[in-house]
Amino acid sequence: MVNTLLGAAILKTMAFTGAVSTVPVSLDGEEIPHPVWHHMAMPSETVSMTVPAGMAAYLDGERIKAADEFTAPETPGTYPLEFRSLDGDEKYEVALFVLEPSSRVDADGRLNGFRMGAYPENTPRGFIRLDEGYGDVNVSPSFKIGQFLCHQQPDHWPKYLLISGDNLERLEVLLAALNRDGITDADTFFVMSGYRSPFYNTAIGSATLSRHMYGDATDVYVDVAPRDGVMDDLNRDGAIDKTDADFLYDYAEELFAATDSVPRGGLGSYKANAVHGPFVHVDGRGRPARWGR
């Protein structure tokens, strides 16, 4: 199973220029759990890093001279951060998101024209700015940033959103286990709903403190056999209904309970309605929460 412990083990045992690294790559004190990952920083913020012996860090193609820190770019946006062995082979690819400060949301609740609205509490310090053409940027081995966009203003750019490393880890662990056990051969989940701005969250009547507003909640389903915009028949009963969402919910609940390394969070099971098929809510709120089963 690909999980945090396995990712850390890969980092600790990979050989570089003939030597075995015993120190994992980390950014701001957090280990990079996968060879493909992401990190967020404020404009011009100092980012601390740990680079294993035999490796070098490159930001936007330029080698970082300091061994333990760098300054994030001043302009919000997406920047490639790479950790390579000294022979030039790329080993770890990190999408560095320089955040647009939340202080730039104007009096009308807009951020560069994007309708953000107002947070009821705990306003994030900033938001990922996504310009047109950057939706395919990888944020983990199985997910791209564009999968988590809010369903508003489809023709407006830039868009803004948040993602959560803890929730991505839960999704990666779940997807890897489903593939390992032969339940699916999906290379990702269909993310029906990821980030929601407070404006959009209110417009659809969602919970006032929905975790979607903070980027650590996703509504997902498996859709590969066939790829038709609805949940696959996971329980093999010949029908697509809530029992398939319940199957995925039960599988995830058992998996997360048995996997010490997976971050804690919420699970919810939902039936189909006139707008969408059945799905499962997964979030990384930091504590267990269960509903809909």
Side-chain angles (χ1 to χ4, degrees), residues 4 34 45 52 65-66 75 98 124 137 193 200 205-206 220 226 239:
T4 302
H34 300 281
E45 182 176 53
K65 296 180 180 180
T75 304
V98 176
V137 170
S193 181
Y200 183 80
S206 187
V220 301

Side-chain angles (χ1 to χ4, degrees), residues 18 55 62 73 90 93 98 127 130-131 138 147 158 183 188 194 200 211 213 224-225 232 245 247 251 254 264 272:
M55 296 192 75
E62 296 293 327
E90 296 180 6
E93 299 179 355
V98 176
F127 305 97
L130 196 67
D131 291 291
N138 294 302
Q147 292 177 262
I183 296 170
T188 190
Y200 183 80
R211 298 312 308 168
M213 295 189 299
V224 291
D232 288 349
F247 177 93
Y251 183 94
E254 182 177 353
R264 298 307 176 199

Side-chain angles (χ1 to χ4, degrees), residues 119-122 201 206-214 285:
Y119 278 80
E121 63 181 38
N122 300 324
N201 191 70
S206 187
T208 302
L209 297 178
S210 169
R211 298 312 308 168
H212 285 274
M213 295 189 299
Y214 299 91
R285 68 182 65 198

Side-chain angles (χ1 to χ4, degrees), residues 55-131:
M55 296 192 75
Y58 295 79
L59 178 59
D60 207 12
E62 296 293 327
R63 183 167 176 172
I64 299 172
K65 296 180 180 180
D68 59 353
E69 67 180 28
F70 65 91
T71 301
E74 181 180 359
T75 304
T78 304
Y79 299 85
L81 175 62
E82 301 166 348
F83 296 88
R84 309 175 189 167
S85 57
L86 296 184
D87 60 10
D89 293 336
E90 296 180 6
K91 299 298 182 182
Y92 302 103
E93 299 179 355
V94 178
L96 176 66
F97 297 115
V98 176
L99 304 180
E100 192 91 53
S102 58
S103 59
R104 296 179 183 173
V105 177
D106 65 23
D108 293 327
R110 294 177 182 267
L111 185 56
N112 289 327
F114 185 83
R115 298 193 69 175
M116 185 63 67
Y119 278 80
E121 63 181 38
N122 300 324
T123 300
R125 63 177 185 161
F127 305 97
I128 295 171
R129 174 186 174 125
L130 196 67
D131 291 291

Side-chain angles (χ1 to χ4, degrees):
M1 181 188 304
V2 179
N3 56 27
T4 302
L5 292 180
L6 179 56
I10 291 172
L11 289 170
K12 292 177 181 178
T13 60
M14 186 170 291
F16 303 107
T17 63
V20 176
S21 173
T22 59
V23 178
V25 175
S26 69
L27 292 167
D28 287 332
E30 296 184 1
E31 293 183 15
I32 297 175
H34 300 281
V36 177
W37 200 239
H38 66 277
H39 189 72
M40 288 176 274
M42 296 298 287
S44 302
E45 182 176 53
T46 297
V47 179
S48 64
M49 63 180 180
T50 301
V51 183
M55 296 192 75
Y58 295 79
L59 178 59
D60 207 12
E62 296 293 327
R63 183 167 176 172
I64 299 172
K65 296 180 180 180
D68 59 353
E69 67 180 28
F70 65 91
T71 301
E74 181 180 359
T75 304
T78 304
Y79 299 85
L81 175 62
E82 301 166 348
F83 296 88
R84 309 175 189 167
S85 57
L86 296 184
D87 60 10
D89 293 336
E90 296 180 6
K91 299 298 182 182
Y92 302 103
E93 299 179 355
V94 178
L96 176 66
F97 297 115
V98 176
L99 304 180
E100 192 91 53
S102 58
S103 59
R104 296 179 183 173
V105 177
D106 65 23
D108 293 327
R110 294 177 182 267
L111 185 56
N112 289 327
F114 185 83
R115 298 193 69 175
M116 185 63 67
Y119 278 80
E121 63 181 38
N122 300 324
T123 300
R125 63 177 185 161
F127 305 97
I128 295 171
R129 174 186 174 125
L130 196 67
D131 291 291
E132 190 171 10
Y134 283 81
D136 286 338
V137 170
N138 294 302
V139 292
S140 73
S142 307
F143 295 90
K144 300 179 185 297
I145 187 66
Q147 292 177 262
F148 302 95
L149 285 172
C150 185
H151 300 304
Q152 67 177 75
Q153 297 171 269
D155 297 324
H156 178 83
W157 298 95
K159 301 181 187 296
Y160 292 93
L161 72 157
L162 290 169
I163 55 174
S164 155
D166 282 351
N167 197 42
L168 275 167
E169 273 291 82
R170 287 168 66 79
L171 295 175
E172 288 285 356
V173 168
L174 178 56
L175 182 64
L178 290 166
N179 277 274
R180 178 202 64 201
D181 290 344
I183 296 170
T184 184
D185 60 357
D187 56 8
T188 190
F189 289 118
F190 185 92
V191 180
M192 191 177 79
S193 181
Y195 175 73
R196 297 175 190 163
S197 68
F199 162 77
Y200 183 80
N201 191 70
T202 299
I204 65 173
S206 187
T208 302
L209 297 178
S210 169
R211 298 312 308 168
H212 285 274
M213 295 189 299
Y214 299 91
D216 66 353
T218 45
D219 298 335
V220 301
Y221 55 85
V222 177
D223 180 21
V224 291
R227 189 179 300 278
D228 57 0
V230 295
M231 177 85 82
D232 288 349
D233 182 15
L234 296 182
N235 65 357
R236 311 293 200 271
D237 69 351
I240 306 296
D241 52 29
K242 190 174 183 295
T243 63
D244 296 295
D246 289 344
F247 177 93
L248 183 56
Y249 173 105
D250 292 344
Y251 183 94
E253 182 175 39
E254 182 177 353
L255 173 69
F256 292 156
T259 309
D260 291 337
S261 63
V262 71
R264 298 307 176 199
L267 280 174
S269 179
Y270 289 83
K271 65 182 180 179
N273 63 20
V275 178
H276 58 71
F279 67 90
V280 168
H281 169 104
V282 182
D283 71 51
R285 68 182 65 198
R287 59 178 176 80
R290 303 288 182 267
W291 65 91
R293 183 68 176 93

